[in-house]
Amino acid sequence: MEDPARSYFNCTDSERATFEAGIKLGSVYHQFVGTPLSEENVDLTEKSIEEGVRVQPFVEDVSVRIDRSHLRAKRSPYRYVSLTGNMLNVKLTVRYGLSTAVCELSYLEELKYPLMRVVEVRGQS
Amino acid sequence: MEDPARSYFNCTDSERATFEAGIKLGSVYHQFVGTPLSEENVDLTEKSIEEGVRVQPFVEDVSVRIDRSHLRAKRSPYRYVSLTGNMLNVKLTVRYGLSTAVCELSYLEELKYPLMRVVEVRGQS
Amino acid sequence: MEDPARSYFNCTDSERATFEAGIKLGSVYHQFVGTPLSEENVDLTEKSIEEGVRVQPFVEDVSVRIDRSHLRAKRSPYRYVSLTGNMLNVKLTVRYGLSTAVCELSYLEELKYPLMRVVEVRGQS
Amino acid sequence: MEDPARSYFNCTDSERATFEAGIKLGSVYHQFVGTPLSEENVDLTEKSIEEGVRVQPFVEDVSVRIDRSHLRAKRSPYRYVSLTGNMLNVKLTVRYGLSTAVCELSYLEELKYPLMRVVEVRGQS
């Protein structure tokens, strides 16, 4: 898709691709952390987050997985949890011009941190 | 459903029902305002917000409608919008003990404000 | 303060007071959970959440405390955390007409749950 | 500051700098849009958003300005607004290794869109 905002940017295609990927990963995290979650709505929540990413510019592919190990069937009124960043795994591919950035959000045990990272940049820098 | 937290409260069933309804309406607004939205994901977003309410305590029924008049088909990379409170219509029924609170969030032209209100309380006060 | 929306409600003053309190507690939780937090900005974040509650209707008093036991001085780029509901303690007083609702959000070890509760309702029901 | 997560990335310093900048701009938008706002708390909200950015990795400088033209003194209980993306102006400088990315979020009348953009990349690509 052509970019009507191109003239507002001053960077290479690959820098733009990683910039756009960063925006999407930051937005997933800060928009959806806190969402009420149980076994009943986890599938739908994953799909809804994916679609919320897909409507944003230059997204080629995205998949969202929520770690179900913290979820519980709703046997008490309080048996649900809030989505946290540590439960999120997001794989995201952004293409801008000739460059493609493959990025990921996943919890890193070593850093005790939900790291957003650039897995690979393809195409002209 | 029995309430394992009942002893922590000091109010009537009807006060509790409206309290619980207020929590759910406040959470819909502040969790989901900002969500990226286009004609492609608006149906799924409505359903996902509904299910996020339904997993919370004492919810009997909920329906979420997003005003589509601001949405656009995605013909440019930037042709999507962020969900605002003014676009939201939520109808919510909460039951606690013997009381039922019917509540609503909708934009009120007269006040220029997305008002959360108690439409009706049924059952013993 | 007079309520220009009064005619849209159909409930007692005390039911309205707990409804308004529920909205505020739900909004604190779902607006601010996810906020980046370290020892450097925790004081300011507490104050900012308080002021965000205070501008809303019928709030008489509010205090917000964030549990500092999870915070760390920022010695590595990744030494900060995201605010979770379990770290929040909010005390809130809402007055509507002749009724006052004293409410609280705090983590309840017994339920493993950040409970929003009505501590006391004063004034005509 | 040294980066303990460096080995998880596979990109240049300038691609990393714009990636990190994108994350911060996405997080400001999706964390704080919806915040209740009036003339009473707008200064504090700006400062609190800035500090929430500053605790994140590799931020060299940040300034946040909220457009006050939509704000109102609180003469009625409902005289406050919710922060929208269109009211936000954020200037952000991120440094990673030898590269510095200067970025901005501002509403673009031409696109009717709150655009996040890369103003300049300095240092080795």
Side-chain angles (χ1 to χ4, degrees), chain B residues 66-125:
Chain B
I66 294 170
D67 177 4
R68 281 146 172 81
S69 67
H70 298 281
L71 298 184
R72 299 166 281 202
K74 205 172 171 310
R75 284 173 302 255
S76 142
Y78 304 103
R79 296 281 283 177
Y80 70 99
V81 299
S82 289
L83 179 64
T84 65
N86 297 353
M87 299 165 67
L88 274 171
N89 178 258
V90 181
K91 294 182 201 300
L92 171 69
T93 305
V94 166
R95 195 159 69 89
Y96 189 85
L98 299 173
S99 292
T100 298
V102 181
C103 298
E104 186 166 359
L105 159 60
S106 61
Y107 182 71
L108 224 62
E109 189 55 54
E110 182 196 344
L111 292 174
K112 312 261 178 234
Y113 187 83
L115 187 69
M116 301 177 192
R117 67 195 184 94
V118 181
V119 176
E120 187 189 0
V121 179
R122 289 195 299 260
Q124 182 199 52
S125 175

Side-chain angles (χ1 to χ4, degrees), chain B residues 5 8-11 14-15 18-19 22-23 25-27 30-31 103 108 110-111 115-119 121 125, chain C residues 5 8-11 14-15 18-19 22-23 25-27 30-31 57 103 108 110-111 115-119 121 125:
Chain B
Y8 292 95
F9 286 78
N10 191 10
C11 62
S14 67
E15 289 158 0
T18 59
F19 180 69
I23 293 170
L25 292 179
S27 76
H30 291 276
Q31 184 64 54
C103 298
L108 224 62
E110 182 196 344
L111 292 174
L115 187 69
M116 301 177 192
R117 67 195 184 94
V118 181
V119 176
V121 179
S125 175
Chain C
Y8 292 95
F9 286 79
N10 191 10
C11 63
S14 67
E15 288 158 0
T18 58
F19 180 68
I23 293 170
L25 292 179
S27 76
H30 292 275
Q31 183 64 55
C103 298
L108 224 64
E110 184 196 342
L111 291 174
L115 187 69
M116 302 178 192
R117 67 194 182 95
V118 180
V119 176
V121 179
S125 174

Side-chain angles (χ1 to χ4, degrees), chain A residues 4-5 7-12 14-16 18-31 56-57 103-104 108 110-111 113 115-121 125, chain D residues 4-5 7-12 14-16 18-31 56-57 103-104 108 110-111 113 115-121 125:
Chain A
S7 65
Y8 292 95
F9 286 78
N10 191 10
C11 62
T12 67
S14 68
E15 289 158 0
R16 178 73 186 274
T18 58
F19 180 68
E20 295 291 337
I23 293 171
K24 276 70 171 174
L25 292 179
S27 77
V28 164
Y29 192 102
H30 292 276
Q31 184 64 54
Q56 294 179 65
C103 298
E104 185 167 0
L108 225 63
E110 182 196 343
L111 291 175
Y113 186 83
L115 187 69
M116 301 176 192
R117 67 197 183 93
V118 181
V119 176
E120 187 188 1
V121 179
S125 173
Chain D
S7 65
Y8 293 94
F9 286 79
N10 191 9
C11 63
T12 68
S14 66
E15 289 157 359
R16 177 74 185 274
T18 58
F19 179 69
E20 296 289 337
I23 293 171
K24 276 69 170 175
L25 292 179
S27 77
V28 163
Y29 192 102
H30 292 275
Q31 183 65 54
Q56 294 178 65
C103 299
E104 186 167 0
L108 225 64
E110 182 196 343
L111 292 174
Y113 187 83
L115 187 68
M116 302 178 192
R117 67 195 183 92
V118 180
V119 177
E120 187 189 2
V121 179
S125 175

Side-chain angles (χ1 to χ4, degrees), chain D residues 29-101:
Chain D
Y29 192 102
H30 292 275
Q31 183 65 54
F32 294 105
V33 161
T35 300
L37 214 59
S38 78
E39 289 181 0
E40 281 75 31
N41 73 328
V42 63
D43 291 355
L44 187 66
T45 301
E46 287 176 341
K47 203 167 158 34
S48 179
I49 296 175
E50 284 178 357
E51 294 307 308
V53 173
R54 233 182 276 278
V55 303
Q56 294 178 65
F58 314 115
V59 173
E60 195 159 283
D61 200 16
V62 60
S63 82
V64 172
R65 288 290 294 168
I66 295 170
D67 177 1
R68 279 146 173 81
S69 67
H70 298 282
L71 299 184
R72 300 167 279 200
K74 204 173 173 307
R75 282 173 305 253
S76 142
Y78 304 102
R79 297 280 283 177
Y80 69 100
V81 299
S82 288
L83 179 65
T84 66
N86 296 355
M87 299 165 68
L88 273 171
N89 178 259
V90 180
K91 293 182 199 301
L92 171 70
T93 304
V94 164
R95 195 159 70 89
Y96 189 85
L98 299 173
S99 292
T100 300

